[in-house]
Amino acid sequence: MAVIQTTGLSKRYKDKWAVDHLDLRVEQGDIYGFIGQNGAGKSTTLKLLCGLAQPTQGEGLIFDRPVHDTVARRRVGALIEQPGLYPDLSGRENLRLYATLLGLDSPEKQVEEILRTVGLSAGEKKPVKHYSMGMKQRLGVGMALLGGPDLLLLDEPINGLDPEGIREMRELLLRLNRERGLTLLISSHILGELSKIATRYGIIQQGKMVEQITAAELEQKCTDYLHLRANQPQKAAALLEKEFCLLRWEMRPEGEIRIYETVDAKAVGQVLTQAGIAVEEMGLHRQDLESYFLERMGGADHV
């Protein structure tokens, strides 16, 4: 079941398309990693999905209902950019105030449960201005949990956190997904961390969807390979294909050869050297989410 489905979703500011005919699909139970460089349109997309911005064109559906549908909105919790917190109030007081604004009846039990869930029960009386960045972000997630949503939209929830804060946030998000069955749409620049929790990814560039891919599909694509460069790449490729009976290999731009099969690198070097082909560079490589993302974006200059 699609929890989020957008068709041609677009937002234009003057002469710039911040979101450009975006087709995005998030399945129930997903931890959807939303990836893109600064200015790619991630935050604007999340604002469109939670009703904080109006689309110029296209539509977005939440649980098969329009974004502004009252029933759909009750099922969505969001943390867009920085959480709006009152610094002189405690975490509990911030949650109580926000619960009142939401019109929740008798929220005290829910506030207590959320404080435990996000790990802030011990410091419930401390003013938020004395919280660490990680504590503030976890409180922001807690505020998004008020009302018992089925979907969380989180914009850069681990941005600016130290390693301990990142670990705590990662464990919290996994727990919400596994124990409560929440669907999560998370934008993040910290790709290594995102790869530890995401079940599906969407890559966006200049407001357009580049690719949507599951974690399983990404794992299949990010295989080990031997990469090499030689002074006669075409001759080297033909020789290696014949010598090692290669079926899975490719010639990349600028003459790079990638071999996706298990071969002895030393033997490869010897075959090429005996044929008078100079090996300029050779090594084993594993493509992870970051390198795959950079490749899909067209290289590091785009990040």
Side-chain angles (χ1 to χ4, degrees):
M1 172 187 173
V3 171
I4 301 174
Q5 178 78 59
T6 73
T7 306
L9 187 66
S10 305
K11 181 64 177 178
R12 183 170 182 165
Y13 294 104
K14 296 183 180 180
D15 60 345
K16 177 179 173 58
W17 289 98
V19 178
D20 191 354
H21 298 83
L22 188 74
D23 294 337
L24 180 150
R25 183 181 178 93
V26 179
E27 301 288 342
Q28 186 171 9
D30 272 348
I31 300 180
Y32 188 103
F34 198 33
I35 303 169
Q37 68 269 40
N38 287 330
K42 302 188 303 298
S43 294
T44 302
T45 300
L46 267 61
K47 289 176 182 177
L48 290 169
L49 291 174
C50 64
L52 294 177
Q54 294 289 336
T56 305
Q57 294 179 14
E59 68 170 351
L61 298 177
I62 306 289
F63 299 103
D64 289 326
R65 293 174 177 266
V67 167
H68 290 284
D69 180 87
T70 304
V71 175
R73 291 182 68 173
R74 287 199 192 108
R75 300 182 68 182
V76 180
L79 174 59
I80 308 297
E81 296 173 346
Q82 296 297 320
L85 304 174
Y86 290 90
D88 292 322
L89 300 182
S90 68
R92 177 183 292 275
E93 290 167 336
N94 269 277
L95 286 169
R96 280 177 180 164
L97 180 58
Y98 193 52
T100 301
L101 293 173
L102 291 175
L104 301 181
D105 295 327
S106 304
E108 190 60 38
K109 182 178 179 181
Q110 190 174 158
V111 168
E112 183 66 38
E113 181 186 356
I114 287 173
L115 285 170
R116 287 198 304 270
T117 298
V118 300
L120 293 176
S121 293
E124 64 181 60
K125 295 181 180 180
K126 184 165 62 175
V128 166
K129 63 185 176 184
H130 298 310
Y131 277 18
S132 67
M133 178 64 75
M135 292 171 69
K136 289 177 181 177
Q137 286 296 91
R138 282 185 282 132
L139 180 56
V141 173
M143 293 173 72
L145 289 172
L146 282 167
D150 299 305
L151 167 67
L152 286 184
L153 305 176
L154 305 176
D155 188 18
E156 300 283 358
I158 57 178
N159 193 32
L161 302 187
D162 61 20
E164 179 65 16
I166 290 174
R167 182 189 63 79
E168 291 173 345
M169 181 62 72
R170 180 178 71 240
E171 292 176 353
L172 170 60
L173 297 179
L174 283 171
R175 196 163 63 247
L176 292 174
N177 176 256
R178 293 171 180 172
E179 296 179 5
R180 297 196 179 194
L182 267 65
T183 301
L184 308 176
L185 171 57
I186 306 169
S187 75
S188 179
H189 288 99
I190 307 177
L191 304 179
E193 280 300 318
L194 198 58
S195 67
K196 295 177 182 178
I197 63 174
T199 60
R200 190 185 304 268
Y201 301 93
I203 301 173
I204 185 175
Q205 182 180 33
Q206 296 179 352
K208 296 180 180 180
M209 183 64 75
V210 175
E211 182 179 22
Q212 294 187 93
I213 184 171
T214 67
E217 290 169 339
L218 178 63
E219 180 68 23
Q220 192 172 26
K221 287 189 176 186
C222 293
T223 55
D224 292 336
Y225 62 85
L226 178 72
H227 99 99
L228 66 92
R229 297 182 188 275
N231 65 342
Q232 302 177 65
Q234 298 295 339
K235 182 179 179 180
L239 177 62
L240 294 174
E241 182 180 29
K242 179 180 179 180
E243 185 72 22
F244 295 96
C245 302
L246 299 178
L247 298 175
R248 296 174 56 240
W249 68 275
E250 64 175 339
M251 179 73 73
R252 304 285 296 176
E254 300 180 359
E256 180 195 3
I257 300 169
R258 291 187 181 181
I259 301 173
Y260 296 97
E261 299 178 33
T262 302
V263 292
D264 186 333
K266 184 177 179 180
V268 167
Q270 289 175 343
V271 167
L272 295 178
T273 299
Q274 290 170 2
I277 300 172
V279 177
E280 299 171 348
E281 183 180 323
M282 180 166 61
L284 289 172
H285 177 76
R286 178 168 177 78
Q287 189 177 46
D288 56 12
L289 173 60
E290 184 172 4
S291 59
Y292 183 82
F293 167 74
L294 291 174
E295 184 176 291
R296 296 296 282 136
M297 291 295 97
D301 291 343
H302 289 273
V303 176

